Amino acid sequence: MGATRFAVLGVLLVVFQASKVTSEKPPCFPGFSSNPLVFGVHRKNLTKGMRLGNVNFTDCTDRRRFPFTSTDRLFEVTTDGVLKVKTEVFLHRGHRNFFISTWTSEGRKVSVPIRVVRHGCHHNQHFERHHHGDHGSHHGDYRKHHNRHHVAEVNSSNNPENATDRQLPVLQFPKSSDGLKRRKRDWVIPPLSISENHRGPFPLKVAEVRTTEHGKRKIIYSITGPGADQPPVGLFSMDRDSGILYVTQPLDREETAQYMMKAHAVVEGSGNAEDPMDIRVLVIDQNDNRPAFSESIYRAEVPEASATGFEVMKVVATDADEPNNDNSDIRYRILSQTPQVPHNDMFAINPISGAIRVNRLGLDREKKSEYSLYIQAADNRGEGLPTETKVILVVTDSNDHSPLFTQTSYDCVVEENKVSEHVVTMSVTDVDVPLTAAWNAKFKIVGGDPGGLFAVKTGDNKQEGIVTTAKGLDFEKIKRHTLLIAVENEDPFVNSAMVTSTATVTVDVKDVNEAPAFNPTEKFVMIKEDLAVGETVVQYIATDPDETNQKVMYKITRDPADWLSVDKDTGLIKVKKPMNREDDRVTNDKYTVIIIAHDDDKVPATGTGTVIIQLEDVNDEAPTIVEHNFRVCNKDPVPQLLSVTDKDTGEDHGAPFSVSLPAASQGNWTATMNGSNTGIILKLNKELPSGYYDVVLTVRDFLGLEQDNIIKAEVCDCTGMEVKCKQRIGAAETNLPLILGILGGILLLLMLVLLLLLLTRRKRGEKKDPLLQDDDIRDNIYYYDEEGGGEDDQDYDLSVLHRGLDNRPEVFRNDVVPTFMPAPQYRPRPANPEEIGNFIDDNLKAADNDPTAPPYDSLLVFDYEGGGSDAGSLSSLNSSDSGDQDYDCLSDWGPRFKKLADMYGGGEDDDML
């Protein structure tokens, strides 16, 4: 019993000590003050800007402002945590639910559900179920952190192995809770800080990582992430036995401001001793960068008449050191000014913004046209690292001289009714620097134009004012205009006492023949569509604005249906042809006609007017049936519904309709109106033979206007609704075969004709035996008869060559035309040009075989060499009687030389002998 009491007392003592330690150092957990956050309101209508309360967030640092986001666009949270109404909201159900989120210094997102509820509404149970069930695990519920106590501890214990070294921060791996472990880093690890450009010695100890198993089992420590085993590799390392984190070389904050790594603790031979722990190393900035100006030399202009405080320009310098601290806090100042006249402080600079302003009056471009300033920028609020730049300021001319007109008055004439018509060009002079804002002139009309009839603009050379008409002038209203034009520069005058130069422009308006004008330009008329021919529609009159009394005449230029006529003298418009509202040229019951009016001037002026006629409907169109044919079975027929339409739209001009059948159709058909009296129900009364039937239906409108409609009904031999018509042979069916038969006969006849023509052509086109053989020796004979007839050929009398024996009367011809051989028949010249080749071949063959054609076997004389020729006679050329001549080649010369070959070459006659 006593042992039990001591055990109980021991347990209570341990619990008491643990609670005491816990109360002494309560851990800090980033998050909101509660989860969820409920804000009560007294009304449903929340106005814009209404403050609902504070969300109270902390990330366990000194930060007091955080960026918040809301899933409901109607609400917003300021950086100091105040929840406000962004747009007017009405709580229809008495409450509104949404989430807000922010981020801790380590970049972790934290979210909390928000509920805005009107007092008196029950919401807790639903709210917990809705938000915690849907979003708690997604955004991370920091209320659980307080229950689990998973917070990393940072101890400042001495390391016995390095008693002489500085104390290292010890990063303790968090204790794991019993049961299922969530692989989620929900403990807070404060960042480690290392100054950039540290001089070492390296490797330099940064911190020590410990696990609760340290000393109990063999633990192997390691580190991974950027700076360790990822680029830049090797900046950090960790002793595998002691867990000491080292930095191996100087760091540069401008390259990398922080490093995020993971520490690992592994039991040798057993796996992970702890979950990986995040380590964040911040690089502390040092003032190792000078400010840098955006330009090496700045250039700007300053007007000579600038007032004190006039901002000339701004210089900008930047510092690569950490923003928002002294290392990058830049101040500016002017080191020197050249020249130092009229004062050595003509300019001043804002030390924070770098804006350069005019500090003293007295700038004069004619004396000093340029100033040079040397500007210094230093960080650490002007006490740190400096840098310099040069600023060149050019003094520009100011508008201290007003422009002057070259002449003070102008007279001109302009025709009336012309817009943008040139009136006059005025010149000015200015002694300021040309082509500057102080020299460029601008003009304005300061008097004489209350109606805005004129406009003035500056010419391209900036020293001319061009006056034009902005509206058409009216001679009949104002015959003369007197304008007052003033000139000034683009830049305002330096001295307000400077006088503005003015000029007077007198414009005389020239009268021109103006076109007659209709009033109104569009005239609206309403008439009935059945207005009788010759009746008056409207009188449309135009007036001539000219002062002279001119006669106005009228004419219709557009009348699509040619329904109207107009009296050329009075403008009276009458009906020429019957009108019809239902005509396609009538749009929305409106018919448009265009009328022109012209005066009797030598060059007539023409004005145009439009008459829009609203045609009122009359009952002039009888109703019609839309369907023109239908099919129906002759047994148990189904009634047919026929639609009725009427082009008339007037009241009582259409439905209700009525229908009737003529006596001839009443026995076979029955026609009645449907319930709305807008359709006809047509029914077959008795069984009719299949075929086509014309059904005449007389349809009347409400006022009794009727019209007969013929409907083509096809009665089929079938029953009920399934209308199936069998193929019938009748007049209509036999027409198509008959037509096809006729077309087939015509086609056959055409084919026969074409076949005959083809055979005829082929017969004519048969290849003829050539008149000459391919090896005819005459292919090598050439004609050289171009030399003429001896010495007498200077007269070019070629007939001398054809005289033959006519010049030798002493020589007698003894050739006789054979009479015992019949002459061949020659083909007449064909009409078809394509047969000319065959014609020549046939007649040439006939001529070659014609025994009656010359030359005959007769004496021919070839000794004529012309009169008085010095050449000798050819009679000395006697035939050779030598027997060693070879005439066998004559047989190769063709049919014409066959006889010679037989005579001289031997051949068949010799063989016979």
Side-chain angles (χ1 to χ4, degrees), residues 141-200:
D141 189 348
Y142 273 83
R143 294 184 304 163
K144 300 178 182 178
H145 303 166
H146 298 278
N147 296 331
R148 295 173 60 181
H149 299 287
H150 284 183
V151 181
E153 299 177 359
V154 179
N155 300 324
S156 299
S157 60
N158 294 328
N159 190 344
E161 299 176 357
N162 300 283
T164 60
D165 295 341
R166 63 183 179 87
Q167 292 185 346
L168 295 178
V170 178
L171 305 182
Q172 188 74 30
F173 277 94
K175 297 180 180 179
S176 299
S177 62
D178 296 333
L180 297 177
K181 294 195 300 182
R182 296 177 57 194
R183 297 189 59 84
K184 178 176 179 182
R185 298 175 300 277
D186 51 1
W187 54 90
V188 178
I189 304 297
L192 303 175
S193 299
I194 304 176
S195 176
E196 68 170 334
N197 304 321
H198 199 290
R199 296 183 179 181

Side-chain angles (χ1 to χ4, degrees), residues 768-779:
K768 305 293 183 179
D769 293 332
L771 181 63
L772 300 176
Q773 299 296 327
D774 293 339
D775 55 352
D776 194 341
I777 196 62
R778 287 179 300 173
D779 291 344

Side-chain angles (χ1 to χ4, degrees), residues 76-220:
E76 64 180 352
V77 182
T78 61
T79 56
D80 56 352
V82 177
L83 178 63
K84 300 172 62 176
V85 179
K86 186 177 181 180
T87 305
E88 185 176 1
V89 181
F90 186 80
L91 303 177
H92 295 279
R93 299 180 180 179
H95 64 273
R96 196 175 187 95
N97 304 324
F98 55 95
F99 277 83
I100 62 171
S101 303
T102 188
W103 289 261
T104 65
S105 301
E106 289 77 17
R108 178 176 297 166
K109 185 177 180 181
V110 183
S111 301
V112 67
I114 302 294
R115 182 177 182 85
V116 179
V117 60
R118 186 175 64 87
H119 289 297
C121 294
H122 300 284
H123 61 277
N124 292 335
Q125 183 178 359
H126 169 75
F127 182 66
E128 293 291 335
R129 181 177 63 253
H130 175 73
H131 288 285
H132 290 233
D134 296 342
H135 299 277
S137 61
H138 178 71
H139 294 283
D141 189 348
Y142 273 83
R143 294 184 304 163
K144 300 178 182 178
H145 303 166
H146 298 278
N147 296 331
R148 295 173 60 181
H149 299 287
H150 284 183
V151 181
E153 299 177 359
V154 179
N155 300 324
S156 299
S157 60
N158 294 328
N159 190 344
E161 299 176 357
N162 300 283
T164 60
D165 295 341
R166 63 183 179 87
Q167 292 185 346
L168 295 178
V170 178
L171 305 182
Q172 188 74 30
F173 277 94
K175 297 180 180 179
S176 299
S177 62
D178 296 333
L180 297 177
K181 294 195 300 182
R182 296 177 57 194
R183 297 189 59 84
K184 178 176 179 182
R185 298 175 300 277
D186 51 1
W187 54 90
V188 178
I189 304 297
L192 303 175
S193 299
I194 304 176
S195 176
E196 68 170 334
N197 304 321
H198 199 290
R199 296 183 179 181
F202 295 99
L204 180 66
K205 295 179 180 180
V206 179
E208 184 178 359
V209 176
R210 287 292 181 88
T211 177
T212 56
E213 299 296 325
H214 188 79
K216 300 177 182 179
R217 290 188 289 179
K218 177 63 175 178
I219 304 298
I220 299 175

Side-chain angles (χ1 to χ4, degrees), residues 445 447-454 471 478 481-483:
I445 302 173
D449 186 25
L453 301 176
F454 297 90
K471 302 176 183 178
I478 302 177
H481 299 266
T482 301
L483 308 176

